[in-house]
Amino acid sequence: QVRLVESGGGSVQAGGSLRLSCAASGSIVGIRTMAWYRQTPGKQRELVAESTSGGRTIYADSVTGRFTISRDNAKNTVYLQMNSLKPEDTAIYYCNADLLTGATMTFNNYWGQGTQVTVSS
C-alpha cells in the first residue's frame, strides 16, 4: 500500500523554525512532483511549495524567502524547512506527491494525513 507519512510539525514561537518531512512508502517506481500544501479552518487548501522531478521549485508569495523545499529521491522523501515563522503560518500542512507505483504502472496523486503547525505570537 502506498503511503505518504508526514512528521516534524509542532508548536513554535514567532520567529522560530520547524522542518517538516514526508516519506513515501510502498511499491514506488518513480516520483514526479512533490509538494506541500496547508489548510486552516474555513479556507481552501493552498499550495505552499512544490518541487518537480526536474529540479524546479515554486513557492507561495507568502513564504518566499522563509521556506525551502528540498527532496531526497533516494529516500523518496521531501522536506520543508520553515524559518522566520509567523502566526499566520499556523495550519495543517499536507504532503502531496505524484507517484508511479508498481501495482498500476501509472502516476497517481497521493496525500498525506497532515501535520499541525502552530506558531504563537
Side-chain angles (χ1 to χ4, degrees):
Q1 183 178 359
V2 176
R3 297 177 62 198
L4 294 177
V5 179
E6 300 112 332
S7 61
S11 298
V12 66
Q13 288 191 329
S17 298
L18 285 173
R19 188 192 194 207
L20 305 182
S21 299
C22 171
S25 63
S27 180
I28 298 168
V29 178
I31 301 179
R32 203 157 50 192
T33 298
M34 302 189 83
W36 289 96
Y37 288 73
R38 66 186 181 187
Q39 188 171 24
T40 55
K43 293 188 177 181
Q44 286 191 331
R45 195 170 295 186
E46 63 173 1
L47 177 68
V48 176
E50 177 181 286
S51 172
T52 70
S53 57
R56 184 172 63 97
T57 57
I58 297 173
Y59 295 93
D61 289 343
S62 59
V63 306
T64 297
R66 300 188 298 121
F67 291 10
T68 302
I69 189 171
S70 61
R71 54 196 284 176
D72 185 336
N73 291 324
K75 296 181 179 180
N76 293 338
T77 299
V78 63
Y79 306 95
L80 185 68
Q81 178 66 43
M82 305 184 294
N83 298 329
S84 302
L85 281 161
K86 304 175 181 180
E88 50 264 43
D89 294 319
T90 296
I92 298 175
Y93 284 70
Y94 296 90
C95 177
N96 179 271
D98 293 325
L99 306 177
L100 179 66
T101 64
T104 65
M105 291 306 290
T106 59
F107 278 99
N108 290 290
N109 189 259
Y110 294 86
W111 290 94
Q113 81 286 356
T115 185
Q116 177 70 47
V117 171
T118 302
V119 184
S120 58
S121 58

